[in-house]
Amino acid sequence: ASLANSDLGWEKTVGLNFGFDFNLLKNRISGNLEYYDSFTRDLLWTMTIPETSGFGEVLTNIGEIRNKGLEFLIKTLIYEKNNISWETTFNFTRNINRINSLLGEDKNGDGNEDDLIASSLFLGRSIGTILDYEVNGIWQIEDDRMAGFQPGSYRIVDQNGDGRITIEADRTILGYREPAYQFGIQNSFNFKNVTLRFFINSIQGGRNGYMASNHPTGGFNTPSNATNSNWFNFLDFWAPSRPNATFALPWEGSPFQDQARIYQQRSFVRLQDISLSYTLASAMTTKLGVKSARIFTSGKNLLTFTNWNGWDPETGIGVASGNAFPLMKSYSIGLDISF
């Protein structure tokens, strides 16, 4: 079922990690900081190969990649007085990777090592680089359209200006799949026996990172399936009455319609966890004959702020992805008793 590779071997990594822990103002401020810089060669990668071999890909060792990044965590006791306290925890991570070498080949004779375009690997860039057609809106009925394009199809940018779209000349670097950074904030408020905690989680793409394609089709590119599913109303597809729609026609409106797609950033900020609890006073627990008791209510994934069109930006599930479900929200009410 897969192509064998008798030369397959181990990845090898050499790197530097530098970090320190800190504790200030009698434990009111504490945390840690870590910086790392590593080089991995003979990278294990599933490389795309010509299908004339009978297979579409093979697992192999290629090139060298550099990873460097920063991880930071800080805990602070902001206020503590008269049975009132406020604690916060903030964490931040950022990773940058760069391909230094691949196969060492120069088949075009330009004096530079070749990229592995079919495997989306480009020297000097991230392993999550996106090479695809650039979309600049949707062709309208009144437009002087490029040959082969119908109204309602994506307007693909002619990168070299030769009046036609080709896979060799008109694809360009659109961005990256990896995020620029991510962070989390947890707050804990205590007032006598009442505790409120909430955690905010966020992943951000920066200028052109954390991107994914997000174009729903009509199901095998047939308009009848889209019509039967009522997608014309459920999604913002193009129509003469909707010239500023988000998505093009749900079926093929041009020779490149099955390849052209829009890319969106998946950046989000999410209220991931929140809880409110009340701990019974010792006098009350003694009367009840228990060691301790706590009543609580909590919720998960209650709010997500994002411009991504789909069920969940973190998993990259678009609104029309197959077997897709929205992110589950959950609510809990409970009682903890210790005897």
Side-chain angles (χ1 to χ4, degrees):
S2 60
L3 183 63
N5 183 358
S6 59
D7 295 327
L8 197 65
W10 297 101
E11 286 187 352
K12 304 173 184 68
T13 299
V14 58
L16 167 71
N17 279 59
F18 173 78
F20 66 89
D21 299 328
F22 56 90
N23 196 312
L24 306 171
L25 302 177
K26 298 180 180 180
N27 296 326
R28 295 186 71 93
I29 301 176
S30 62
N32 59 72
L33 175 68
E34 181 178 356
Y35 170 81
Y36 59 88
D37 195 348
S38 64
F39 294 84
T40 300
R41 60 187 177 91
D42 297 332
L43 182 70
L44 285 167
W45 192 262
T46 302
M47 187 172 68
T48 301
I49 58 176
E51 294 190 358
T52 53
S53 65
F55 301 89
E57 57 189 26
V58 62
L59 185 63
T60 188
N61 299 95
I62 56 174
E64 180 186 86
I65 185 172
R66 180 183 184 185
N67 275 281
K68 61 180 180 178
L70 181 71
E71 297 181 359
F72 175 69
L73 183 142
I74 183 171
K75 297 180 180 180
T76 60
L77 178 58
I78 297 177
Y79 184 85
E80 186 178 36
K81 189 176 181 181
N82 298 330
N83 295 320
I84 301 175
S85 66
W86 175 18
E87 298 178 351
T88 65
T89 301
F90 174 80
N91 66 79
F92 174 89
T93 62
R94 173 173 169 80
N95 178 78
I96 300 173
N97 66 72
R98 172 189 171 98
I99 298 174
N100 291 339
S101 64
L102 291 168
L103 298 181
E105 298 177 341
D106 181 17
K107 294 182 179 180
N108 58 9
D110 63 353
N112 298 313
E113 184 180 353
D114 295 336
D115 299 320
L116 291 176
I117 297 177
S119 299
S120 298
L121 297 176
F122 303 89
L123 291 162
R125 295 185 180 272
S126 161
I127 60 173
T129 299
I130 299 171
L131 176 71
D132 211 333
Y133 297 106
E134 181 182 0
V135 172
N136 183 22
I138 299 175
W139 288 108
Q140 304 298 323
I141 295 176
E142 66 276 9
D143 290 341
D144 184 13
R145 300 183 301 277
M146 187 179 295
F149 287 82
Q150 299 178 12
S153 60
Y154 285 127
R155 186 197 302 264
I156 299 176
V157 176
D158 181 11
Q159 300 291 340
N160 63 352
D162 63 356
R164 60 194 184 99
I165 302 298
T166 61
I167 192 171
E168 298 82 10
D170 294 308
R171 292 190 301 172
T172 188
I173 302 296
L174 299 179
Y176 304 91
R177 293 182 175 86
E178 285 88 0
Y181 61 91
Q182 55 190 103
F183 66 88
I185 303 172
Q186 178 169 289
N187 281 273
S188 179
F189 300 93
N190 294 278
F191 175 66
K192 295 183 178 179
N193 295 354
V194 179
T195 301
L196 171 65
R197 291 190 177 95
F198 64 88
F199 175 66
I200 295 174
N201 180 37
S202 176
I203 302 179
Q204 297 293 320
R207 187 170 63 91
N208 58 356
Y210 205 45
M211 300 183 69
S213 62
N214 195 15
H215 172 63
T217 62
F220 304 105
N221 290 319
T222 58
S224 58
N225 284 354
T227 304
N228 294 338
S229 301
N230 203 28
W231 282 19
F232 294 107
N233 294 325
F234 181 58
L235 293 178
D236 189 21
F237 283 119
W238 181 91
S241 59
R242 292 195 298 270
N244 297 318
T246 302
F247 302 112
L249 290 168
W251 62 89
E252 294 184 12
S254 77
F256 289 90
Q257 191 65 22
D258 59 336
Q259 302 177 42
R261 54 187 64 85
I262 60 172
Y263 284 81
Q264 295 179 331
Q265 279 201 320
R266 296 156 51 197
S267 301
F268 70 90
V269 176
R270 173 175 292 152
L271 177 59
Q272 190 156 308
D273 293 283
I274 184 169
S275 67
L276 179 66
S277 64
Y278 177 78
T279 302
L280 271 65
S282 58
M284 179 64 70
T285 56
T286 300
K287 290 181 180 179
L288 295 175
V290 298
K291 185 178 180 180
S292 64
R294 184 176 67 95
I295 304 170
F296 70 90
T297 180
S298 65
K300 292 182 178 294
N301 306 318
L302 301 188
L303 292 172
T304 300
F305 302 94
T306 182
N307 291 325
W308 172 257
N309 288 319
W311 298 121
D312 182 26
E314 188 170 12
T315 56
I317 297 177
V319 73
S321 300
N323 300 319
F325 299 92
L327 183 67
M328 181 181 294
K329 296 180 180 180
S330 64
Y331 306 88
S332 301
I333 298 175
L335 174 64
D336 286 339
I337 300 177
S338 298
F339 295 93

